[in-house]
């Protein structure tokens, strides 16, 4: 079997509000899937439903073939979860908390645990109540990674971490991938998703709107073009696929969907000096998807 | 170029940001003040009413005064009795200490929750991020707490003025208002003490413990002062000052001065200290890093045990101590009862029994109070279970291979153990106290009485689980409500003729008043079965519902 997570028509309604429309999604074994969406899109809802913390209105989720609603404990044996924020008992120390979380998980790689504690510069001897938010988050990360679970489900795992720790997190995530572990990563840090993920799913208003590799998604989206001329730039609005044309002095920026040839021919006739073309970053992709909606709302 | 048009940036000025702390806390304090005010107010009413009924003549009252007034045990507990042949003297002696103690405990819990608990869980930070400073926020919190105090005072004043109007009470309006002030002093003093403790200690539990320890010391000073010749101790104990007020027999309002000073100093220092320390820090901090002790930390049961053992132990000590003290008092108290027939009429109304020895009757009422204590334990314990879910602690288990039922059963079984142990311990405690006075009630009888008290607590616990499963957000409201309702109905039933359908809704009414009567095991079994059914339904629904965090 090569599927780690499979959801079949998984949906969640709170009364009449739809938090998640029926979702069909499968995550392959060994891949890192980025799960994106604006605030309130339904990412946490998806994860909590998948984990069996909340019950779906319809559909089901399978984790390595085990239905997580029916046989929750069995399904959890193969996964570890990193929430974005967690309530830990304020009077236990970091060490005690890690011990507890490890023993109820059922499996711990003790050597790896020590390595992680070092890597994240975590001082486990203090009581949890004295930890800062970032240090508390380290407990979540270490507790999940040290189990070496086949599947890691993460909901904004780097919330509150400083850039150096974020780097340590990326290193660990790649290590897990090299190890054959699967990662389901919900995050708002697009750079992180771009650096780690094989595929990306984008959710909006509870609906899956995009799913694919970054390359596939980039092809679907526009190319950014920036040209400087010696004189006033030519008019290019009439060319098919061109949008977002901005002219400042002798400089022109635009976006292009489709073949580039007609545009280049116009540029060539007007004595261009420099030309820069760039694929959109995930952030721009995300903004363009999100922006569409804003425009539609405005109308 | 145009400058930013000031007219277009329209910020609505709200009045609330500076007072939001005050208003939120005032609302909570108001609810607590009202609840305890009503319960204590009704309790005072019913006791005063029966005093006038059962000891109508001065001769009757003198007899009570002679026997009770010379009992050292009672003096230790309630303070020296002055002029208890008058309603005022009796009320002061009977209620002042009780209301002061209950008020102080309520004040401590409320204050540490709002001044330290909120800081522990990070909400205080949100307040401080608003337009306020730590010192201002603490001051506002103190103002908010005042709302609870005022509510409590109003309830006391209402109750006292109703007592003043009972036929034969002979109390003036002014005297009963002064009485209400005295009754509120304990809560006020310990609000201030707890506010100070909240600044000094690092977490809420430590702050409550410090405040409770201070209460213990003051109470002990008063106790020693009243039972030995060291009367001067009364003058330096803030609880002694309250006794010195002597509201209904001597009226010495001069003692309000040290009381007010004490409150002002504690609250003032608390407010100043709050402005000087960092958020989340404390003046007296316990060790932040300790050697890990992981022995119990490997299953839901182990963690639950580790995290609840201190609280459970405290409750068990409370059960044992209460039973022991009342056991000690039984003989002396009974000797002062005069008109046997009338006492038995009360018992009759309360428990549907008559013709029992007075000692047993007294113990029956004692175990009735232990029963209520046990029910309160069950309710708070269920409240903690819900809190674990609401605050997200439960998630730590449920995202790992731990079943919901496994967790719930672990939590519930620990509660059950405390309830059962509590029942046994109070049986033994009452017996020990009784035996010291050569009372002659057998251990067997008292053990059975102790076990009898566990049944309503079990039912309450199961009802709590039912609420937790079906209506998690209302768990506390429903279970506290059921206890308060049962208590009120049963208390009122001693004075009024209450419709028996209404009476039947009280869990306490279903139960027999062992050892005044022998336990009705059939009713007990029925209650257990009903409880078990509620438990099963609650557990099954819990297993299927969404986890609801806040
Ligand atoms: N218990 C609940 N009752 C009602 N509505 C809820 C509940 N929990 C979530 N929702 C709604 O479901 C929607 C999805 O919420 P969810 O927490 O899954 O968003 P998210 O994608 O994780 O957002 P964020 O990026 O802010 O974490 C939101 O509109 C939210 O208001
Ligand atoms: Mg979320």
């Amino acid at each position: 079997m090569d599927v780690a997570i499979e959801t079949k028509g998984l949906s969640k309604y709170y009364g009449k509000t739809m938090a998640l429309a029926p979702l069909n999604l499968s995550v392959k074994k060994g891949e890192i899937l980025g799960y994106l969406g604006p605030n309130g899109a339904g990412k946490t809802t998806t994860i909590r439903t998948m984990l069996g913390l909340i019950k779906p209105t319809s559909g089901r989720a399978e984790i390595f073939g085990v239905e997580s609603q029916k046989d929750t404990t069995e399904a959890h044996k193969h996964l570890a979860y990193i929430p974005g924020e967690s309530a830990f008992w304020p009077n236990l120390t970091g060490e005690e908390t890690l011990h507890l979380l490890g023993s109820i998980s059922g499996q711990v790689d003790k050597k790896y645990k020590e390595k992680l504690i070092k890597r994240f510069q975590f001082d486990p001897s203090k009581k949890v109540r004295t930890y800062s938010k970032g240090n508390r988050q380290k407990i979540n990360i270490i507790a999940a990674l040290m189990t070496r679970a086949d599947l890691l489900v993460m909901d904004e795992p780097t919330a509150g971490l400083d850039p150096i720790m974020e780097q340590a997190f990326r290193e660990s995530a790649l290590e897990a991938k090299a190890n054959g572990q699967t990662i389901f990563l919900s995050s708002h840090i697009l750079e992180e998703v771009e650096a780690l993920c094989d595929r990306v799913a984008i959710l909006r208003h509870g609906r899956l709107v995009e799913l694919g590799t970054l390359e596939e998604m980039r092809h679907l989206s526009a190319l950014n073009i920036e040209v400087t001329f010696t004189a006033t730039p030519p008019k290019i609005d009439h060319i098919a696929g061109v949008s977002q044309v901005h002219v400042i002095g002798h400089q022109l920026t635009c976006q292009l969907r489709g073949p580039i040839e007609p545009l280049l021919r116009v540029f060539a006739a007007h004595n261009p000096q420099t030309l820069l073309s760039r694929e959109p970053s995930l952030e721009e992709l995300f903004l363009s998807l999100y922006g569409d909606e804003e425009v539609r709302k405005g109308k | 170029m145009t400058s930013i048009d000031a007219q277009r940036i329209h910020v609505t000025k709200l009045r609330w940001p500076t007072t939001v702390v005050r208003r939120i806390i005032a609302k909570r304090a108001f609810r607590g003040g009202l609840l305890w005010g009503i319960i204590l107010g009704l309790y005072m009413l019913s006791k005063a009413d029966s005093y006038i009924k059962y000891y109508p003549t001065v001769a009757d009252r003198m007899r009570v005064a002679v026997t009770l007034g010379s009992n050292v045990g009672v003096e230790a507990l309630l303070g020296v009795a002055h002029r208890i042949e008058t309603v005022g003297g009796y009320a002061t002696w009977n209620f002042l200490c009780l209301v002061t103690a209950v008020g102080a405990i309520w004040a401590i819990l409320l204050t540490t929750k709002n001044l330290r608990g909120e800081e522990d869980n990070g909400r205080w930070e949100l307040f401080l991020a608003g337009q306020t400073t730590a010192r201002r926020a603490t001051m506002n919190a103190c103002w908010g707490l005042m709302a609870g105090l005022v509510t409590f005072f109003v309830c006391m004043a209402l109750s006292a003025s109703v007592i003043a109007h009972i036929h034969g009470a002979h109390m003036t309006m002014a005297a009963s208002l002064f009485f209400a002030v005295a009754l509120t002093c304990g809560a006020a003093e310990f609000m201030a003490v707890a506010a100070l403790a909240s600044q000094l200690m690092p977490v809420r539990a430590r702050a409550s413990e410090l405040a409770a320890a201070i209460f213990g010391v003051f109470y002990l000073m008063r106790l020693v002062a009243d039972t030995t010749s060291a009367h001067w101790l009364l003058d330096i104990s803030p609880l002694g000052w309250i006794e010195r007020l002597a509201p209904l027999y001597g009226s010495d309002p001069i003692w309000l001065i040290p009381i007010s000073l004490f409150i002002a100093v504690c609250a003032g220092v608390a407010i100043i200290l709050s402005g000087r320390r960092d958020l989340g820090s404390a003046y007296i901090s316990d060790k932040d890093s300790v050697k890990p002790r992981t022995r119990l930390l490997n299953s839901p049961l182990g963690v639950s045990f580790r995290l609840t053992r201190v609280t459970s132990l405290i409750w068990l000590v409370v059960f044992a101590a209460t039973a022991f003290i009342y056991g000690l008092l039984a003989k002396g108290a009974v000797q002062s009862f005069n008109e046997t027939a009338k006492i038995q009429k009360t018992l009759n109304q309360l428990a549907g029994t008559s013709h029992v020895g007075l000692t047993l009757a007294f113990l029956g009422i004692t175990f009735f109070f232990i029963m209520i204590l046990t029910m309160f334990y069950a309710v708070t314990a269920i409240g903690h279970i819900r809190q674990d879910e609401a605050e997200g602690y439960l998630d730590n288990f449920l995202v790992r291979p731990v079943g919901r039922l496994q967790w719930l059963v672990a939590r519930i079984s620990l509660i059950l153990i405390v309830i059962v142990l509590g029942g046994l311990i109070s049986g033994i405690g009452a017996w020990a106290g009784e035996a010291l006075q050569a009372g002659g009630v057998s251990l067997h009888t008292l053990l059975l009485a102790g076990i009898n008290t566990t049944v309503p607590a079990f039912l309450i616990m199961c009802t709590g689980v039912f609420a937790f499963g079906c209506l998690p957000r209302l768990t506390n409201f429903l279970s506290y409500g059921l206890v308060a309702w049962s208590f009120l109905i049963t208390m009122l039933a001693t004075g009024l003729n209450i419709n028996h359908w209404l009476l039947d809704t009280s869990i306490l009414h279903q139960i027999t008043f062992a050892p005044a009567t022998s336990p009705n095991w059939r009713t007990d079994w029925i209650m257990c079965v009903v409880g078990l059914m509620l438990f099963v339904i609650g557990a099954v629904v819990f297993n299927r519902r969404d986890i609801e965090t806040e």
Side-chain angles (χ1 to χ4, degrees):
Chain A
M1 195 179 22
D2 55 357
V3 180
I5 305 176
E6 173 110 67
T7 69
K8 293 174 181 161
L10 190 73
S11 77
K12 180 69 187 178
Y13 284 76
Y14 289 105
K16 276 190 184 148
T17 27
M18 179 187 71
L20 183 65
L23 173 75
N24 294 303
L25 181 69
S26 75
V27 182
K28 284 179 252 156
K29 246 188 194 170
E31 78 170 328
I32 303 185
L33 179 90
Y35 201 56
L36 304 178
N39 292 134
K43 303 179 297 295
T44 303
T45 304
T46 312
I47 291 174
R48 288 178 74 80
T49 320
M50 238 158 52
L51 292 173
L53 289 173
I54 52 182
K55 305 291 169 176
T57 309
S58 69
R60 60 211 184 104
E62 286 174 6
I63 289 166
F64 297 112
V66 180
E67 197 174 323
S68 68
Q69 300 303 325
K70 278 204 184 124
D71 204 347
T72 314
T73 45
E74 188 56 40
H76 287 181
K77 280 185 186 157
H78 303 285
L79 72 80
Y81 171 52
I82 307 180
E85 176 167 32
S86 223
F88 293 122
W89 300 272
N91 272 327
L92 297 186
T93 65
E95 176 66 45
E96 289 169 334
T97 309
L98 284 175
H99 175 91
L100 167 66
L101 298 181
S103 31
I104 53 177
S105 297
Q107 55 181 50
V108 178
D109 181 340
K110 289 217 171 105
K111 266 201 191 131
Y112 192 47
K113 174 182 162 187
E114 294 311 318
K115 192 172 160 189
L116 288 169
I117 287 177
K118 268 210 198 88
R119 179 181 293 164
F120 284 97
Q121 301 168 15
F122 179 64
D123 174 5
S125 68
K126 294 229 171 71
K127 292 209 171 166
V128 167
R129 65 179 148 76
T130 68
Y131 289 137
S132 64
K133 175 168 168 40
N135 279 326
R136 241 169 262 197
Q137 187 57 16
K138 289 178 192 172
I139 300 183
N140 273 323
I141 295 175
I142 297 171
L145 292 174
M146 73 185 184
T147 63
R148 300 263 197 194
D150 299 328
L151 170 64
L152 296 164
V153 178
M154 310 176 177
D155 192 357
E156 299 181 37
T158 51
L161 292 192
D162 65 38
I164 296 170
M165 290 304 125
E166 212 179 290
Q167 209 51 50
F169 167 77
R170 285 186 204 180
E171 186 185 336
S172 312
L174 290 173
E175 210 168 75
K177 180 180 157 70
N179 212 11
Q181 290 163 275
T182 312
I183 299 179
F184 184 94
L185 170 66
S186 159
S187 175
H188 283 302
I189 301 176
L190 299 169
E191 207 189 317
E192 176 179 287
V193 173
E194 208 164 6
L196 293 175
C197 296
D198 305 306
R199 285 199 303 156
V200 175
I202 297 183
L203 207 61
R204 202 167 64 193
H205 284 320
R207 285 177 210 284
L208 189 65
V209 288
E210 292 287 344
L211 174 67
T213 62
L214 277 174
E215 278 62 49
E216 286 167 358
M217 286 169 76
R218 281 192 180 122
H219 287 310
L220 288 178
S221 123
L223 204 62
N224 288 317
I225 293 172
E226 209 180 296
V227 202
T228 27
F229 298 90
T230 45
T232 311
K235 280 231 174 299
I236 51 166
D237 291 335
H238 59 281
I239 299 170
V242 171
S243 62
Q244 310 270 335
V245 183
H246 293 285
V247 177
I248 302 169
H250 293 175
Q251 192 184 48
L252 176 147
T253 57
C254 68
Q255 289 194 347
L256 174 73
R257 256 178 254 260
I260 195 166
E261 214 204 315
L263 191 61
L264 283 183
R265 214 171 288 141
V266 177
F267 286 160
H270 284 81
N271 204 5
Q273 287 211 309
T274 61
L275 186 143
L276 246 154
S277 106
R278 187 164 56 76
E279 286 195 315
S281 67
L282 184 55
E283 186 161 341
E284 281 160 326
L285 265 174
F286 190 80
L287 284 177
S288 76
L289 278 169
Y290 188 47
D292 280 358
E293 178 197 12
E294 295 294 276
V295 171
R296 236 183 306 126
K297 259 194 197 157
K299 275 176 190 168
Chain B
M1 290 297 280
T2 55
S3 62
I4 295 172
D5 185 352
Q7 289 303 309
R8 284 202 10 234
I9 301 174
H10 189 77
V11 180
T12 315
K13 283 265 191 308
L14 296 173
R15 249 185 57 231
W16 63 266
T18 44
T19 60
V20 64
V21 178
R22 188 193 312 174
R23 295 190 316 148
I24 290 175
I25 292 178
K27 214 157 95 192
R28 288 185 201 149
F30 169 76
R31 271 188 251 144
L34 194 65
L35 179 74
W36 288 108
I38 289 177
I39 289 179
L40 290 170
L42 286 173
Y43 173 76
M44 296 198 315
L45 263 183
S46 79
K47 280 280 269 203
D49 183 49
S50 38
Y51 175 78
I52 292 170
K53 251 197 246 154
Y54 300 136
Y55 309 109
T57 68
V58 172
D60 292 332
R61 293 176 186 176
M62 284 312 283
R63 250 194 311 276
V64 183
V66 168
T67 38
L68 279 189
S70 57
N71 184 318
V72 174
V74 178
E75 269 184 2
L77 205 64
L78 295 180
V80 179
H82 295 278
R83 306 210 46 200
I84 51 174
E85 74 281 5
T86 65
V87 177
Y90 175 82
T92 303
W93 177 69
N94 235 280
F95 307 140
L96 190 55
C97 182
L98 175 86
V99 172
T100 300
V102 174
I105 292 167
W106 164 65
I108 289 173
L109 292 178
L110 177 78
T111 309
T112 56
K113 178 180 163 68
N114 286 296
L115 282 178
R116 193 78 218 192
E118 292 292 283
E119 191 169 328
D120 293 345
N121 66 24
R123 273 192 284 260
W124 196 247
E125 202 173 324
L126 300 181
F127 286 144
L128 293 192
Q131 302 172 12
T132 190
T133 60
R135 182 190 300 199
R136 276 240 296 281
T138 310
M139 196 144 72
N140 271 310
C142 290
W143 281 117
L145 292 172
M146 287 281 279
L149 218 51
V150 170
T151 315
F152 189 81
F153 168 76
V154 169
C155 293
M156 293 298 103
L158 280 176
S159 177
S161 44
V162 173
I163 292 176
H165 281 95
I166 296 177
H167 182 68
H170 308 300
M171 275 160 54
T172 65
M173 206 53 203
S176 48
L177 279 183
F178 182 52
F179 184 43
V181 170
L183 290 171
T184 315
C185 280
E189 282 181 357
F190 282 88
M191 255 179 205
V193 168
L196 185 55
S198 298
Q199 302 309 320
L200 296 177
M201 304 306 270
V203 281
R204 185 195 170 196
R206 295 292 100 71
S208 303
E209 282 161 17
L210 177 65
I214 293 174
F215 177 81
V217 171
F218 290 166
Y219 189 87
L220 211 67
M221 284 160 73
R222 196 216 45 115
L223 190 151
V224 173
D226 282 344
T227 49
T228 66
S229 58
H231 295 310
W232 55 272
L233 274 174
L234 215 52
D235 298 343
I236 57 166
S237 162
L239 286 175
W241 300 335
I242 297 180
E243 194 173 311
R244 283 277 200 233
L245 285 175
L248 293 178
Y249 55 91
S251 289
D252 218 351
I254 195 84
W255 291 96
L256 281 175
I257 295 172
I259 293 174
S260 321
L261 276 178
F262 177 75
I263 295 170
V265 167
C266 286
V269 172
I271 290 169
I272 292 170
L273 288 184
S274 76
R276 292 205 174 166
R277 70 182 173 87
D278 295 341
L279 189 70
S281 71
Y283 287 95
I284 304 172
S285 52
D286 60 358
K287 263 188 278 171
D288 283 338
S289 47
V290 286
K291 263 218 169 115
R293 287 171 300 153
T294 52
R295 201 161 45 86
L296 288 166
L297 300 177
N298 40 31
S299 66
L301 187 66
V303 195
S304 307
F305 178 72
R306 160 125 183 216
L307 295 173
T308 58
R309 59 188 173 180
V310 176
T311 325
S312 306
L313 202 67
I314 292 174
W315 275 100
L316 289 175
V317 169
V318 168
F319 295 143
T322 313
F324 180 73
I325 289 170
Y326 277 100
L328 267 181
L329 292 183
K331 204 172 164 191
V334 162
Q335 281 167 358
S336 67
F337 289 150
N338 167 38
E339 296 198 21
T340 315
K342 282 187 177 163
I343 294 290
Q344 280 191 330
K345 202 167 142 232
T346 313
L347 258 185
N348 206 356
Q349 284 167 329
L350 205 60
T353 179
S354 51
H355 311 298
V356 288
L358 277 178
T359 311
L360 286 181
F362 180 85
L363 287 171
I365 293 174
T366 300
F367 276 96
F368 170 74
F369 282 109
I370 291 177
M371 208 178 265
I372 291 169
L373 269 184
T374 321
M375 286 162 84
F376 260 110
Y377 162 72
V379 173
T380 55
I382 291 290
H384 282 136
I385 289 188
R386 165 62 193 152
Q387 198 186 353
D388 271 14
E389 180 194 7
E391 309 241 321
Y393 296 111
L394 174 57
D395 284 9
N396 290 323
F397 292 109
L398 297 191
V399 300
R400 299 191 163 79
V402 173
R404 293 187 188 191
L405 291 183
Q406 186 191 346
W407 174 81
L408 184 65
V409 168
R411 293 299 302 256
I412 292 295
S413 52
L414 289 176
I415 299 175
L416 200 57
I417 288 173
V418 173
I419 291 178
V420 171
L421 274 182
L424 293 175
I425 283 182
S426 26
I428 296 171
W431 173 77
E434 239 280 294
L436 278 179
Q437 303 281 316
V441 182
S442 76
L443 175 62
H444 180 244
T445 311
L446 290 174
L447 269 183
L448 286 186
I451 291 172
N452 193 48
T453 63
T454 64
V455 176
F458 175 75
L459 184 56
I460 282 283
M461 180 191 83
C462 293
T463 316
V465 173
F466 177 79
F468 174 65
C470 301
L471 296 161
R473 283 166 201 280
L474 295 182
T475 308
N476 276 320
F477 178 78
L478 290 178
S479 37
Y480 275 103
L482 185 60
V483 174
W485 174 255
S486 299
F487 178 70
L488 276 187
I489 291 287
T490 312
M491 288 316 273
L492 289 178
T494 58
L496 311 164
N497 280 327
I498 286 187
N499 180 303
H500 79 94
W501 289 108
L502 201 59
L503 261 179
D504 284 346
T505 60
S506 159
I507 289 185
L508 290 164
H509 187 69
Q510 310 295 334
I511 210 87
T512 51
F513 278 44
T517 57
S518 57
N520 182 346
W521 298 121
R522 213 180 77 105
T523 323
D524 285 358
W525 276 119
I526 293 176
M527 286 174 89
C528 285
V529 170
V530 171
L532 217 56
M533 274 165 23
L534 287 172
F535 175 85
V536 169
I537 297 172
V540 168
V541 176
F542 168 63
N543 202 27
R544 296 192 176 171
R545 69 169 169 81
D546 291 353
I547 296 300
E548 290 187 17
T549 49
E550 255 154 24

